[in-house]
Amino acid sequence: MTKHLFATIVTTTAVAANNRGEGDGSTLSTLQKITRGNDQYTTVSAEAIRWGLREYFQNHYEKEVNRTFNAETDKYSFKDEQFSAEKYIDDDLFGYMDAKKGKDNEDATTKRRGALEISRAMSLDPYWGDIAFGSKGGEKGKTSIHSTEVHCTAYQYTIALTPESLKKPERALLALDAIGAVRHVGGNHARFLYDFHPESIVLRITDDPSPWIMDVFKRIGESVGCPRLVRLVEVGDVKADELLVGGEIADTPYGQQLKALGVQVYRGVKEAIAHAKEQLKQQLKLEVPA
């Protein structure tokens, strides 16, 4: 039976902003937004989160990464433009597409669908239009005074991965390490520090091809709860022994309810990830990557 790995992550609550220099002096919106019900929420793209994961692999497994980013030149470079999911972690996890002209000017496309799927991250709190004003130093001009959209919130997103779809299934273990250590998301957001590591995480290792655990975190007062996850376990839609829950959620009444239902609950995010890695290794007979 094919095993699938799913995880829903909620970040810490902090001030998110997108300080685009080219937006100074304009009315350009700098935080992406989405409407849900009658409220507006801010969102971070899956591409930006992938950027953060790529950064992790570049910093920790540079020899096994095909695409690298040079902050000094603001450019990407490839070790091998032919791509190789067998050889490179990023080509295996994130996929690639290389459209080239073949013989007789026919288009030949080399592509691989990314095995690691990532949803958009959505804020837990509605966005009420908070704006901070600033002034540039030095000589003043028409754009000296500028505004920046800011949002004090936490973000929630989900990842999905079928280890057997990787050329090297043991790379699923490295993906878990990366998810627990994303420093910041990419693109324009990288200019503003917003820690994207998990404050709490729900991991699911299952034969079920559907995640079921998307959007399970919810703002409860000033804290974060997961009433939907408790219900999913209570009604049997998600088996308790498929779940590992870690982080601050463990110290809430929801964490205690999940533990009473038979869910593996850990106070530490890293501890939960470590146990998830052990389960994957045992169930899929994976070797620990060097």
Short mmCIF file of all heavy atoms in Angstrom, two decimals, residues 55-109:
data_model
loop_
_atom_site.label_atom_id
_atom_site.label_comp_id
_atom_site.label_asym_id
_atom_site.label_seq_id
_atom_site.Cartn_x
_atom_site.Cartn_y
_atom_site.Cartn_z
N GLU A 55 16.22 27.47 -0.09
CA GLU A 55 17.29 28.13 0.65
C GLU A 55 17.86 27.19 1.70
O GLU A 55 19.08 27.11 1.90
CB GLU A 55 16.76 29.40 1.31
CG GLU A 55 17.81 30.16 2.11
CD GLU A 55 17.22 31.32 2.88
OE1 GLU A 55 16.19 31.13 3.57
OE2 GLU A 55 17.79 32.42 2.82
N TYR A 56 16.98 26.44 2.37
CA TYR A 56 17.43 25.48 3.37
C TYR A 56 18.34 24.43 2.74
O TYR A 56 19.43 24.13 3.26
CB TYR A 56 16.23 24.79 4.03
CG TYR A 56 16.63 23.65 4.95
CD1 TYR A 56 16.92 23.88 6.29
CD2 TYR A 56 16.71 22.35 4.47
CE1 TYR A 56 17.30 22.83 7.12
CE2 TYR A 56 17.09 21.30 5.30
CZ TYR A 56 17.38 21.55 6.61
OH TYR A 56 17.77 20.51 7.42
N PHE A 57 17.92 23.87 1.62
CA PHE A 57 18.72 22.83 0.98
C PHE A 57 20.04 23.38 0.45
O PHE A 57 21.07 22.71 0.51
CB PHE A 57 17.93 22.18 -0.16
CG PHE A 57 16.82 21.29 0.32
CD1 PHE A 57 15.50 21.53 -0.05
CD2 PHE A 57 17.08 20.22 1.16
CE1 PHE A 57 14.48 20.71 0.41
CE2 PHE A 57 16.06 19.41 1.63
CZ PHE A 57 14.75 19.66 1.26
N GLN A 58 20.01 24.61 -0.05
CA GLN A 58 21.26 25.22 -0.53
C GLN A 58 22.25 25.41 0.62
O GLN A 58 23.45 25.21 0.46
CB GLN A 58 20.96 26.56 -1.19
CG GLN A 58 22.21 27.27 -1.73
CD GLN A 58 21.89 28.55 -2.48
OE1 GLN A 58 20.80 28.69 -3.04
NE2 GLN A 58 22.81 29.49 -2.49
N ASN A 59 21.75 25.78 1.80
CA ASN A 59 22.61 26.04 2.94
C ASN A 59 23.13 24.76 3.60
O ASN A 59 24.19 24.75 4.21
CB ASN A 59 21.88 26.87 3.98
CG ASN A 59 21.65 28.30 3.53
OD1 ASN A 59 22.34 28.80 2.65
ND2 ASN A 59 20.65 28.96 4.10
N HIS A 60 22.36 23.66 3.48
CA HIS A 60 22.72 22.44 4.19
C HIS A 60 23.20 21.30 3.28
O HIS A 60 23.93 20.41 3.73
CB HIS A 60 21.52 21.94 5.01
CG HIS A 60 21.16 22.82 6.16
ND1 HIS A 60 20.40 23.96 6.01
CD2 HIS A 60 21.47 22.75 7.48
CE1 HIS A 60 20.24 24.55 7.19
NE2 HIS A 60 20.89 23.83 8.09
N TYR A 61 22.79 21.32 2.00
CA TYR A 61 23.16 20.24 1.08
C TYR A 61 23.56 20.83 -0.27
O TYR A 61 23.09 20.39 -1.31
CB TYR A 61 21.99 19.26 0.91
CG TYR A 61 21.54 18.62 2.20
CD1 TYR A 61 20.47 19.16 2.93
CD2 TYR A 61 22.17 17.49 2.70
CE1 TYR A 61 20.06 18.60 4.11
CE2 TYR A 61 21.77 16.91 3.89
CZ TYR A 61 20.71 17.46 4.59
OH TYR A 61 20.30 16.90 5.78
N GLU A 62 24.43 21.83 -0.24
CA GLU A 62 24.75 22.58 -1.45
C GLU A 62 25.25 21.69 -2.58
O GLU A 62 24.91 21.91 -3.75
CB GLU A 62 25.80 23.64 -1.11
CG GLU A 62 25.95 24.74 -2.17
CD GLU A 62 26.86 24.35 -3.30
OE1 GLU A 62 27.74 23.49 -3.08
OE2 GLU A 62 26.69 24.88 -4.42
N LYS A 63 26.01 20.65 -2.27
CA LYS A 63 26.56 19.77 -3.31
C LYS A 63 25.47 18.96 -4.01
O LYS A 63 25.68 18.48 -5.13
CB LYS A 63 27.60 18.84 -2.71
CG LYS A 63 28.87 19.55 -2.24
CD LYS A 63 29.88 18.56 -1.70
CE LYS A 63 31.15 19.27 -1.24
NZ LYS A 63 32.14 18.32 -0.67
N GLU A 64 24.33 18.80 -3.36
CA GLU A 64 23.25 17.99 -3.91
C GLU A 64 22.10 18.83 -4.47
O GLU A 64 21.03 18.33 -4.76
CB GLU A 64 22.71 17.03 -2.85
CG GLU A 64 23.75 16.05 -2.32
CD GLU A 64 23.17 15.18 -1.24
OE1 GLU A 64 22.18 14.49 -1.50
OE2 GLU A 64 23.72 15.19 -0.12
N VAL A 65 22.34 20.14 -4.61
CA VAL A 65 21.32 21.05 -5.14
C VAL A 65 21.73 21.53 -6.52
O VAL A 65 22.88 21.93 -6.73
CB VAL A 65 21.13 22.25 -4.18
CG1 VAL A 65 20.24 23.31 -4.82
CG2 VAL A 65 20.53 21.78 -2.86
N ASN A 66 20.79 21.50 -7.45
CA ASN A 66 21.09 21.93 -8.83
C ASN A 66 21.00 23.44 -8.97
O ASN A 66 21.90 24.08 -9.47
CB ASN A 66 20.13 21.25 -9.80
CG ASN A 66 20.53 21.46 -11.25
OD1 ASN A 66 21.62 21.94 -11.55
ND2 ASN A 66 19.66 21.08 -12.17
N ARG A 67 19.91 24.03 -8.50
CA ARG A 67 19.69 25.46 -8.65
C ARG A 67 20.09 26.18 -7.37
O ARG A 67 19.59 25.86 -6.29
CB ARG A 67 18.21 25.75 -8.96
CG ARG A 67 17.98 27.21 -9.36
CD ARG A 67 16.55 27.44 -9.77
NE ARG A 67 15.69 27.75 -8.64
CZ ARG A 67 14.48 28.29 -8.75
NH1 ARG A 67 13.97 28.54 -9.95
NH2 ARG A 67 13.76 28.53 -7.69
N THR A 68 20.99 27.15 -7.49
CA THR A 68 21.43 27.93 -6.34
C THR A 68 21.20 29.42 -6.60
O THR A 68 21.20 29.87 -7.74
CB THR A 68 22.92 27.69 -6.03
OG1 THR A 68 23.69 28.01 -7.19
CG2 THR A 68 23.16 26.24 -5.65
N PHE A 69 21.01 30.15 -5.51
CA PHE A 69 20.73 31.58 -5.60
C PHE A 69 21.89 32.36 -5.00
O PHE A 69 22.37 32.07 -3.91
CB PHE A 69 19.44 31.92 -4.84
CG PHE A 69 19.12 33.39 -4.84
CD1 PHE A 69 18.69 34.04 -5.99
CD2 PHE A 69 19.24 34.14 -3.67
CE1 PHE A 69 18.38 35.39 -5.98
CE2 PHE A 69 18.94 35.49 -3.65
CZ PHE A 69 18.52 36.11 -4.81
N ASN A 70 22.36 33.36 -5.75
CA ASN A 70 23.44 34.23 -5.29
C ASN A 70 22.84 35.58 -4.89
O ASN A 70 22.37 36.34 -5.74
CB ASN A 70 24.48 34.43 -6.41
CG ASN A 70 25.71 35.18 -5.92
OD1 ASN A 70 25.61 36.10 -5.11
ND2 ASN A 70 26.87 34.79 -6.42
N ALA A 71 22.86 35.86 -3.59
CA ALA A 71 22.25 37.10 -3.09
C ALA A 71 23.00 38.34 -3.55
O ALA A 71 22.41 39.43 -3.67
CB ALA A 71 22.18 37.06 -1.57
N GLU A 72 24.30 38.21 -3.81
CA GLU A 72 25.09 39.35 -4.23
C GLU A 72 24.72 39.82 -5.64
O GLU A 72 24.63 41.01 -5.92
CB GLU A 72 26.59 38.99 -4.19
CG GLU A 72 27.12 38.69 -2.80
CD GLU A 72 27.07 39.90 -1.88
OE1 GLU A 72 27.24 41.03 -2.38
OE2 GLU A 72 26.85 39.72 -0.67
N THR A 73 24.50 38.85 -6.53
CA THR A 73 24.15 39.18 -7.92
C THR A 73 22.65 39.14 -8.17
O THR A 73 22.19 39.55 -9.23
CB THR A 73 24.84 38.22 -8.89
OG1 THR A 73 24.39 36.88 -8.62
CG2 THR A 73 26.36 38.29 -8.72
N ASP A 74 21.89 38.62 -7.18
CA ASP A 74 20.44 38.48 -7.32
C ASP A 74 20.08 37.59 -8.51
O ASP A 74 19.13 37.87 -9.24
CB ASP A 74 19.78 39.86 -7.46
CG ASP A 74 18.27 39.80 -7.19
OD1 ASP A 74 17.85 38.95 -6.38
OD2 ASP A 74 17.52 40.58 -7.82
N LYS A 75 20.85 36.52 -8.70
CA LYS A 75 20.63 35.64 -9.84
C LYS A 75 20.69 34.17 -9.42
O LYS A 75 21.36 33.81 -8.45
CB LYS A 75 21.68 35.89 -10.93
CG LYS A 75 21.56 37.23 -11.63
CD LYS A 75 22.62 37.37 -12.72
CE LYS A 75 22.48 38.71 -13.44
NZ LYS A 75 23.51 38.86 -14.50
N TYR A 76 19.98 33.33 -10.20
CA TYR A 76 20.04 31.89 -10.02
C TYR A 76 21.04 31.30 -11.01
O TYR A 76 21.25 31.84 -12.10
CB TYR A 76 18.67 31.24 -10.26
CG TYR A 76 17.66 31.53 -9.19
CD1 TYR A 76 16.69 32.52 -9.36
CD2 TYR A 76 17.65 30.79 -8.01
CE1 TYR A 76 15.76 32.78 -8.36
CE2 TYR A 76 16.71 31.05 -7.01
CZ TYR A 76 15.77 32.04 -7.20
OH TYR A 76 14.85 32.29 -6.21
N SER A 77 21.63 30.19 -10.63
CA SER A 77 22.51 29.47 -11.55
C SER A 77 22.24 27.98 -11.41
O SER A 77 21.77 27.50 -10.36
CB SER A 77 23.98 29.78 -11.27
OG SER A 77 24.32 29.38 -9.95
N PHE A 78 22.51 27.23 -12.48
CA PHE A 78 22.28 25.79 -12.50
C PHE A 78 23.61 25.06 -12.68
O PHE A 78 24.44 25.46 -13.50
CB PHE A 78 21.34 25.41 -13.64
CG PHE A 78 19.94 25.93 -13.47
CD1 PHE A 78 19.61 27.20 -13.94
CD2 PHE A 78 18.97 25.19 -12.83
CE1 PHE A 78 18.32 27.71 -13.77
CE2 PHE A 78 17.69 25.67 -12.66
CZ PHE A 78 17.36 26.94 -13.14
N LYS A 79 23.79 23.98 -11.93
CA LYS A 79 24.96 23.15 -12.13
C LYS A 79 24.80 22.29 -13.38
O LYS A 79 25.77 21.97 -14.06
CB LYS A 79 25.17 22.24 -10.91
CG LYS A 79 25.51 22.99 -9.63
CD LYS A 79 25.58 22.03 -8.46
CE LYS A 79 25.86 22.80 -7.17
NZ LYS A 79 25.79 21.91 -5.98
N ASP A 80 23.55 21.91 -13.65
CA ASP A 80 23.28 21.03 -14.78
C ASP A 80 21.94 21.41 -15.39
O ASP A 80 20.89 21.14 -14.81
CB ASP A 80 23.25 19.57 -14.30
CG ASP A 80 23.11 18.58 -15.43
OD1 ASP A 80 22.89 19.02 -16.58
OD2 ASP A 80 23.22 17.37 -15.18
N GLU A 81 21.96 22.05 -16.54
CA GLU A 81 20.73 22.50 -17.17
C GLU A 81 19.97 21.37 -17.85
O GLU A 81 18.88 21.59 -18.41
CB GLU A 81 21.02 23.63 -18.16
CG GLU A 81 21.52 24.89 -17.48
CD GLU A 81 21.52 26.10 -18.40
OE1 GLU A 81 21.00 25.99 -19.52
OE2 GLU A 81 22.05 27.15 -17.98
N GLN A 82 20.53 20.18 -17.83
CA GLN A 82 19.80 19.01 -18.33
C GLN A 82 18.85 18.48 -17.25
O GLN A 82 17.94 17.72 -17.54
CB GLN A 82 20.79 17.91 -18.72
CG GLN A 82 21.73 18.29 -19.86
CD GLN A 82 20.98 18.61 -21.13
OE1 GLN A 82 20.06 17.90 -21.51
NE2 GLN A 82 21.36 19.70 -21.78
N PHE A 83 19.09 18.87 -16.00
CA PHE A 83 18.30 18.46 -14.83
C PHE A 83 18.47 16.95 -14.57
O PHE A 83 18.68 16.17 -15.48
CB PHE A 83 16.82 18.80 -14.97
CG PHE A 83 16.56 20.27 -15.14
CD1 PHE A 83 16.27 20.79 -16.39
CD2 PHE A 83 16.61 21.12 -14.06
CE1 PHE A 83 16.05 22.14 -16.56
CE2 PHE A 83 16.38 22.48 -14.22
CZ PHE A 83 16.10 22.99 -15.47
N SER A 84 18.34 16.58 -13.29
CA SER A 84 18.45 15.18 -12.91
C SER A 84 17.80 14.97 -11.55
O SER A 84 18.36 15.37 -10.52
CB SER A 84 19.91 14.73 -12.86
OG SER A 84 20.02 13.43 -12.32
N ALA A 85 16.62 14.37 -11.56
CA ALA A 85 15.93 14.08 -10.30
C ALA A 85 16.66 13.01 -9.50
O ALA A 85 16.53 12.94 -8.28
CB ALA A 85 14.50 13.64 -10.58
N GLU A 86 17.43 12.18 -10.18
CA GLU A 86 18.21 11.15 -9.50
C GLU A 86 19.37 11.78 -8.74
O GLU A 86 19.68 11.39 -7.61
CB GLU A 86 18.76 10.16 -10.53
CG GLU A 86 19.54 9.00 -9.94
CD GLU A 86 18.66 7.97 -9.27
OE1 GLU A 86 17.51 7.77 -9.72
OE2 GLU A 86 19.12 7.38 -8.27
N LYS A 87 19.98 12.80 -9.32
CA LYS A 87 21.21 13.39 -8.78
C LYS A 87 20.95 14.52 -7.79
O LYS A 87 21.67 14.66 -6.80
CB LYS A 87 22.07 13.90 -9.93
CG LYS A 87 23.44 14.40 -9.53
CD LYS A 87 24.25 14.79 -10.77
CE LYS A 87 25.64 15.28 -10.41
NZ LYS A 87 26.42 15.66 -11.63
N TYR A 88 19.91 15.33 -8.04
CA TYR A 88 19.73 16.56 -7.26
C TYR A 88 18.45 16.52 -6.42
O TYR A 88 17.37 16.13 -6.91
CB TYR A 88 19.69 17.77 -8.18
CG TYR A 88 20.96 17.98 -8.97
CD1 TYR A 88 20.99 17.82 -10.34
CD2 TYR A 88 22.15 18.34 -8.32
CE1 TYR A 88 22.15 18.02 -11.07
CE2 TYR A 88 23.32 18.53 -9.03
CZ TYR A 88 23.32 18.37 -10.40
OH TYR A 88 24.48 18.55 -11.12
N ILE A 89 18.56 16.97 -5.17
CA ILE A 89 17.41 17.02 -4.26
C ILE A 89 16.31 17.91 -4.80
O ILE A 89 15.13 17.54 -4.81
CB ILE A 89 17.84 17.53 -2.88
CG1 ILE A 89 18.81 16.56 -2.21
CG2 ILE A 89 16.63 17.76 -1.98
CD1 ILE A 89 19.38 17.08 -0.91
N ASP A 90 16.68 19.13 -5.24
CA ASP A 90 15.66 20.09 -5.67
C ASP A 90 14.95 19.65 -6.95
O ASP A 90 13.74 19.84 -7.09
CB ASP A 90 16.25 21.49 -5.82
CG ASP A 90 17.51 21.53 -6.66
OD1 ASP A 90 18.16 20.49 -6.83
OD2 ASP A 90 17.86 22.62 -7.16
N ASP A 91 15.66 19.03 -7.88
CA ASP A 91 15.01 18.53 -9.09
C ASP A 91 14.03 17.41 -8.75
O ASP A 91 12.98 17.26 -9.39
CB ASP A 91 16.05 18.01 -10.09
CG ASP A 91 16.84 19.13 -10.74
OD1 ASP A 91 16.45 20.30 -10.57
OD2 ASP A 91 17.85 18.83 -11.41
N ASP A 92 14.36 16.62 -7.72
CA ASP A 92 13.51 15.51 -7.31
C ASP A 92 12.26 16.00 -6.57
O ASP A 92 11.13 15.62 -6.88
CB ASP A 92 14.31 14.57 -6.42
CG ASP A 92 13.73 13.16 -6.35
OD1 ASP A 92 12.75 12.88 -7.07
OD2 ASP A 92 14.27 12.33 -5.60
N LEU A 93 12.45 16.91 -5.60
CA LEU A 93 11.33 17.37 -4.77
C LEU A 93 10.44 18.40 -5.47
O LEU A 93 9.21 18.33 -5.38
CB LEU A 93 11.86 17.99 -3.48
CG LEU A 93 12.32 17.04 -2.38
CD1 LEU A 93 13.01 17.81 -1.26
CD2 LEU A 93 11.15 16.25 -1.82
N PHE A 94 11.06 19.36 -6.18
CA PHE A 94 10.31 20.49 -6.71
C PHE A 94 9.99 20.37 -8.19
O PHE A 94 9.20 21.15 -8.72
CB PHE A 94 11.07 21.79 -6.45
CG PHE A 94 11.39 22.01 -5.01
CD1 PHE A 94 12.70 22.08 -4.56
CD2 PHE A 94 10.38 22.14 -4.06
CE1 PHE A 94 13.01 22.27 -3.23
CE2 PHE A 94 10.67 22.34 -2.73
CZ PHE A 94 11.99 22.40 -2.30
N GLY A 95 10.62 19.42 -8.87
CA GLY A 95 10.37 19.25 -10.30
C GLY A 95 11.05 20.31 -11.14
O GLY A 95 11.78 21.17 -10.63
N TYR A 96 10.79 20.27 -12.44
CA TYR A 96 11.42 21.21 -13.35
C TYR A 96 10.71 21.16 -14.70
O TYR A 96 9.95 20.22 -15.00
CB TYR A 96 12.91 20.89 -13.54
CG TYR A 96 13.18 19.45 -13.89
CD1 TYR A 96 13.05 18.98 -15.19
CD2 TYR A 96 13.56 18.55 -12.90
CE1 TYR A 96 13.29 17.65 -15.50
CE2 TYR A 96 13.79 17.22 -13.20
CZ TYR A 96 13.66 16.77 -14.50
OH TYR A 96 13.88 15.46 -14.79
N MET A 97 10.95 22.16 -15.52
CA MET A 97 10.51 22.15 -16.91
C MET A 97 11.55 22.87 -17.74
O MET A 97 11.94 23.99 -17.43
CB MET A 97 9.15 22.82 -17.10
CG MET A 97 8.60 22.59 -18.50
SD MET A 97 7.03 23.39 -18.83
CE MET A 97 7.58 25.02 -19.29
N ASP A 98 12.00 22.23 -18.82
CA ASP A 98 13.02 22.79 -19.68
C ASP A 98 12.56 22.65 -21.13
O ASP A 98 12.64 21.58 -21.71
CB ASP A 98 14.35 22.07 -19.47
CG ASP A 98 15.48 22.70 -20.28
OD1 ASP A 98 15.33 23.87 -20.67
OD2 ASP A 98 16.48 22.01 -20.52
N ALA A 99 12.03 23.73 -21.68
CA ALA A 99 11.55 23.71 -23.07
C ALA A 99 12.69 24.09 -24.01
O ALA A 99 13.27 25.16 -23.89
CB ALA A 99 10.38 24.68 -23.23
N LYS A 100 13.02 23.19 -24.92
CA LYS A 100 14.12 23.43 -25.85
C LYS A 100 13.69 23.11 -27.27
O LYS A 100 12.73 22.38 -27.51
CB LYS A 100 15.32 22.54 -25.48
CG LYS A 100 15.90 22.84 -24.12
CD LYS A 100 17.08 21.93 -23.84
CE LYS A 100 17.70 22.26 -22.50
NZ LYS A 100 18.83 21.37 -22.17
N LYS A 101 14.44 23.67 -28.22
CA LYS A 101 14.22 23.37 -29.63
C LYS A 101 14.92 22.08 -29.98
O LYS A 101 16.12 21.94 -29.80
CB LYS A 101 14.75 24.51 -30.51
CG LYS A 101 13.97 25.80 -30.40
CD LYS A 101 12.61 25.68 -31.05
CE LYS A 101 11.87 27.01 -31.01
NZ LYS A 101 10.54 26.92 -31.64
N GLY A 102 14.16 21.12 -30.48
CA GLY A 102 14.75 19.87 -30.90
C GLY A 102 15.15 19.91 -32.36
O GLY A 102 15.29 20.97 -32.97
N LYS A 103 15.31 18.75 -32.93
CA LYS A 103 15.68 18.67 -34.34
C LYS A 103 14.55 19.20 -35.22
O LYS A 103 13.37 19.07 -34.90
CB LYS A 103 15.99 17.22 -34.72
CG LYS A 103 17.24 16.68 -34.04
CD LYS A 103 17.51 15.26 -34.51
CE LYS A 103 18.79 14.72 -33.85
NZ LYS A 103 19.06 13.34 -34.29
N ASP A 104 14.93 19.80 -36.34
CA ASP A 104 13.95 20.34 -37.30
C ASP A 104 13.05 21.38 -36.65
O ASP A 104 11.88 21.53 -37.03
CB ASP A 104 13.10 19.22 -37.90
CG ASP A 104 13.94 18.19 -38.62
OD1 ASP A 104 14.95 18.58 -39.28
OD2 ASP A 104 13.62 16.99 -38.49
N ASN A 105 13.61 22.09 -35.62
CA ASN A 105 12.89 23.17 -34.93
C ASN A 105 11.62 22.71 -34.21
O ASN A 105 10.73 23.51 -33.93
CB ASN A 105 12.53 24.30 -35.90
CG ASN A 105 13.75 25.04 -36.39
OD1 ASN A 105 14.72 25.22 -35.64
ND2 ASN A 105 13.74 25.46 -37.65
N GLU A 106 11.53 21.43 -33.94
CA GLU A 106 10.38 20.94 -33.19
C GLU A 106 10.64 21.17 -31.70
O GLU A 106 11.76 21.06 -31.21
CB GLU A 106 10.17 19.45 -33.45
CG GLU A 106 9.72 19.15 -34.88
CD GLU A 106 9.50 17.67 -35.08
OE1 GLU A 106 9.70 16.92 -34.10
OE2 GLU A 106 9.13 17.27 -36.19
N ASP A 107 9.58 21.50 -30.98
CA ASP A 107 9.72 21.74 -29.55
C ASP A 107 9.86 20.41 -28.81
O ASP A 107 9.06 19.50 -29.00
CB ASP A 107 8.52 22.51 -28.99
CG ASP A 107 8.55 23.97 -29.39
OD1 ASP A 107 9.65 24.51 -29.61
OD2 ASP A 107 7.46 24.56 -29.47
N ALA A 108 10.88 20.32 -27.99
CA ALA A 108 11.06 19.15 -27.14
C ALA A 108 11.06 19.63 -25.69
O ALA A 108 11.84 20.51 -25.33
CB ALA A 108 12.37 18.45 -27.47
N THR A 109 10.20 19.09 -24.88
CA THR A 109 10.07 19.55 -23.50
C THR A 109 10.50 18.47 -22.52
O THR A 109 10.03 17.35 -22.58
CB THR A 109 8.61 19.95 -23.20
OG1 THR A 109 8.21 20.96 -24.11
CG2 THR A 109 8.47 20.47 -21.78
#
